[in-house]
Amino acid sequence: MDDLLTDFLAETAESLAELDAALLKLERAPDDAQTLSLIFRLVHTVKGTCGFLGLPRLERLTHAGENVLGRLRDGKLTVSTEIVTLVLAVVDGVRLILAGLGATGAEPDGSDAELIAALDRVAAGRAEPEAMIVAPVAPSPRPDRAEAAAAAQTIRVTVDVLDHLMTLVSELVLTRNQLLQLARGEQDSRFAAPLQRLSHITSDLQEGVMKTRMQPIGHAWNKLPRMVRELAHDLGKRIELVMLGAETELDRQVLELIKDPLTHMVRNSADHGLEPPAERLAAGKPETGRITLNAFHEGGHILIEIADDGRGLGIGDIRAKALAQGLATEAELAAMTEAQIQRFILSAGFSTAAEVTALSGRGVGMDVVKTNIERIGGTIDLKSTPGQGSRFTIKIPLTLAIVSALVVQAGTERFAIPQISVVELVRAGRGGETGAESVIERIDDTQVLRLREHLLPLVNLAELLELEGAGEASIIVVAQVGANMVGIVVDRVFDTEEIVVKPVAPILRDITVLSGNTILGDGSVIMILDPNGIARVTGIATGGETRLVEREADAPRSGARTAMLLFRARGKQPLAVPLGLIARLEEIPRDSIETPTGVAVVQYRGRLMPLVPLSETPETQKPTQAVLVFADGERRTGLMVDEIVDVVEDRAEIELSAARPGLLGTAVIGGQATDVIDTAYWLAKVGQVTATAPGP
């Protein structure tokens, strides 16, 4: 294929993208003479070039389309949906011929006689005898000189050349890092100043090359307006697509990877989200539904929002489907927030559609979207309000080639964690340590950290990867995983570095906790961790807030080390109860507690749960009430306490007998004499119709 034909294909592809957008704009504003002139000029340019290159089939088709546009421009025809659809068919025909040209260098076989005949009938006025005649419009003004000058300053460069240039810059960054590493070990080196200058030049060169790879996100949106138009026709809906921030730029590689997820999410909004016109009018909404796309920069990332003003996600349908597919039990669903239940739509095979159609219902959509976005280090979050609509927020990195990363050590190995995922660093102590601001605890076989009144699930990196030389790790990297957080326990934290991301070797591709590798300044090769993969492998961070899970356990044996829950109920002296006896810890809104028959109750998991106060004068200043939930089969009973203090693992051996009812006795727990309550005594009070019970 000669260079002239290659340039023609590239220019015509750009013109067709403009034609799609301009034709839809003309359909919304039929009197827009400037848009009509733009469309005519684009088609005329394609037709003229076809004659020069000797492409008769393409010339005949574009000539017929130009005739119709000429009649529209001259006011002999009126813009209508049918005419716009016909011209769009011409655009599709041109694309088909261009595809054949690109593949073989010659026009593909085929006939456009039927389409050309339809265009000729419309141009002759026989197809729409009732069409109104409008006043002729003036030809469009000549292009602005500034625009022509800007066009003359651009050149076409193949993507391969840019990718090769990016690879060379990546290697230069690695070499720069190695030189700087060597210079750090030298005192008063005469190379310090030149290296600093080299570092600045390398950074500027890196930024310049990155800009050549950046493209407006609007390039990924070009096909969406027409797709929405056709969806609206197929679904019998009226849909308006609003696109904001189309000029926001991101790396070409990232742009290609998000095209399909964006397309699917817009289709979902049109199909599932927006109601039919009659239903919208009955709900007091405008007949035309709106889908809004918005893109903007935030903290070195790109945020893309896909919102609609439709019916929102049906919590009842999602809950029923999750239960039917075994994704959660009724008890687990009852304890979840609406946001947690809504995230089930991101699960594999999940669909609430009543039937399978050409658009939806197969359950292979949103989980693929989530996987593809996480593959490029991004996250997806959602928020939905019944009757008002849904909003999906995608957060992705600007580029995948050179990223900022935190270098950590686990055992004797070093790893890099992308800075986009790191929320904060926390230094924590062990369960037996005193004075530590944050303490690592162990509940069953899971390590957790009580961080700002929430239990953060932890993953010990050395244990997960079975590394040698692991010590008593106490540094926690808090990483964002979707809408949740997970703590990665490491032995040491170094500095942040700009790293060049290299693809992981084929033999390691099945290890999902790794996303690639890089070379540090000292020449060593280290692996790049994927926090999303770590969360999937360990099965943690599946909910918005981590709580103590339900468990079955026996009461502590004398002399055995047992997890004890410390809490306060009237007074500053903590009380204790074996953690294994407790089903859950809850914070219940105080205004949800009722006393219909003099007994405090709360609606809990679809049933009334009686509450027993452990204090004669319970704490009433807080808006929530701390409750220890005990389970006996399907029956739940809650003990109201003032404050949850801590979880401590100790021998819990009763050394002093109880002086009052309600106590088992006193034990030394966490180095302090602590009263252990008799849960059977307090739970027996459920049958007594009293408003309060004497405290210990």
Side-chain angles (χ1 to χ4, degrees), residues 281-325:
L281 290 174
K285 296 182 179 180
E287 189 177 10
T288 300
R290 173 177 290 189
I291 299 175
T292 304
L293 280 175
N294 188 19
F296 53 92
H297 289 274
E298 184 178 281
H301 311 126
I302 293 287
L303 265 66
I304 306 172
E305 295 180 344
I306 304 97
D308 64 72
D309 62 348
R311 59 171 66 93
L313 297 176
I315 298 297
D317 293 339
I318 297 175
R319 184 184 284 111
K321 193 71 174 183
L323 190 62
Q325 292 188 354

Side-chain angles (χ1 to χ4, degrees), residues 10 19 33-34 38 73 93 146 166 211 213 223 255-256 259 346 355 366 369 393 464 512 562 650 674 687:
L19 275 172
Q34 189 172 356
L38 171 65
R73 192 182 64 165
M166 190 68 206
K211 286 182 178 178
R213 291 168 54 98
K223 298 181 180 179
L255 189 69
E256 292 297 324
K259 279 184 179 180
L346 302 176
E355 57 182 341
M366 291 305 296
V369 169
T393 303
L464 177 66
T512 58
T562 306
D650 212 330
T674 307

Side-chain angles (χ1 to χ4, degrees), residues 333-349:
L333 289 170
M336 289 183 180
T337 63
E338 288 191 358
Q340 291 171 322
I341 294 175
Q342 289 168 358
R343 290 190 66 83
F344 276 118
I345 69 169
L346 302 176
S347 303

Side-chain angles (χ1 to χ4, degrees), residues 28 36 48 131 232 326 348 553 676 687:
R28 295 192 298 268
L36 179 58
V676 181

Side-chain angles (χ1 to χ4, degrees), residues 193 403 663 669:
V403 299
L663 299 178
I669 300 176

Side-chain angles (χ1 to χ4, degrees), residues 552-558 560-564 577-581 652 664 679:
E552 293 182 1
D554 298 325
R557 299 184 304 271
S558 177
R561 293 185 65 85
T562 306
M564 303 292 291
V577 64
L579 185 61
L581 299 179
L664 289 175
T679 55

Side-chain angles (χ1 to χ4, degrees), residues 1-39:
M1 187 184 301
D2 59 26
D3 293 340
L4 195 61
L5 185 57
T6 301
D7 290 342
F8 166 74
L9 292 174
E11 291 174 0
T12 306
E14 293 178 1
S15 297
L16 294 181
E18 278 190 79
L19 275 172
D20 274 340
L23 284 166
L24 297 182
K25 182 179 179 181
L26 182 66
E27 185 179 30
R28 295 192 298 268
D31 297 327
D32 190 345
Q34 189 172 356
T35 300
L36 179 58
S37 295
L38 171 65
I39 295 169

Side-chain angles (χ1 to χ4, degrees), residues 230-488:
E230 294 172 353
L231 280 176
H233 180 269
D234 295 340
L235 297 170
K237 298 178 180 179
R238 302 187 64 177
I239 304 175
E240 176 188 7
L241 179 64
V242 179
M243 296 188 294
L244 307 173
E247 70 284 353
T248 304
E249 293 186 332
L250 72 164
D251 192 285
R252 180 193 63 82
Q253 183 183 4
V254 180
L255 189 69
E256 292 297 324
L257 292 172
I258 66 168
K259 279 184 179 180
D260 289 342
L262 283 180
T263 300
H264 183 85
M265 295 179 75
V266 171
R267 288 171 65 94
N268 251 18
S269 294
D271 187 17
H272 295 293
L274 297 179
E275 313 95 326
E279 186 177 333
R280 291 182 63 86
L281 290 174
K285 296 182 179 180
E287 189 177 10
T288 300
R290 173 177 290 189
I291 299 175
T292 304
L293 280 175
N294 188 19
F296 53 92
H297 289 274
E298 184 178 281
H301 311 126
I302 293 287
L303 265 66
I304 306 172
E305 295 180 344
I306 304 97
D308 64 72
D309 62 348
R311 59 171 66 93
L313 297 176
I315 298 297
D317 293 339
I318 297 175
R319 184 184 284 111
K321 193 71 174 183
L323 190 62
Q325 292 188 354
L327 299 177
T329 64
E330 289 188 5
E332 291 170 339
L333 289 170
M336 289 183 180
T337 63
E338 288 191 358
Q340 291 171 322
I341 294 175
Q342 289 168 358
R343 290 190 66 83
F344 276 118
I345 69 169
L346 302 176
S347 303
F350 194 91
S351 175
T352 57
E355 57 182 341
V356 175
T357 67
L359 294 177
S360 62
R362 301 186 187 275
V364 292
M366 291 305 296
D367 65 309
V368 176
V369 169
K370 178 174 178 285
T371 301
N372 288 343
I373 291 173
E374 288 181 350
R375 189 174 297 156
I376 59 176
T379 59
I380 180 171
D381 198 9
L382 65 95
K383 182 179 181 181
S384 180
T385 304
Q388 298 182 20
S390 304
R391 180 183 303 273
F392 293 83
T393 303
I394 300 173
K395 184 177 182 180
I396 54 179
L398 280 174
T399 179
L400 302 181
I402 300 176
V403 299
S404 178
L406 179 69
V407 180
V408 301
Q409 180 173 323
T412 57
E413 301 292 332
R414 286 183 292 174
F415 300 90
I417 303 177
Q419 196 73 29
I420 185 177
S421 302
V422 178
V423 178
E424 61 180 312
L425 297 177
V426 178
R427 182 178 291 276
R430 292 286 161 177
E433 297 181 14
T434 59
E437 183 178 347
S438 302
V439 177
I440 297 177
E441 305 166 7
R442 184 175 289 274
I443 299 178
D444 288 344
D445 294 327
T446 304
Q447 286 187 325
V448 296
L449 178 75
R450 193 178 299 275
L451 183 64
R452 290 188 288 277
E453 299 183 359
H454 294 280
L455 290 180
L456 177 73
L458 303 180
V459 178
N460 190 300
L461 189 58
E463 293 179 2
L464 177 66
L465 300 180
E466 300 180 2
L467 302 176
E468 297 180 356
E472 286 293 322
S474 61
I475 300 176
I476 299 169
V477 180
V478 182
Q480 189 79 32
V481 178
N484 312 305
M485 289 191 295
V486 61
I488 303 174

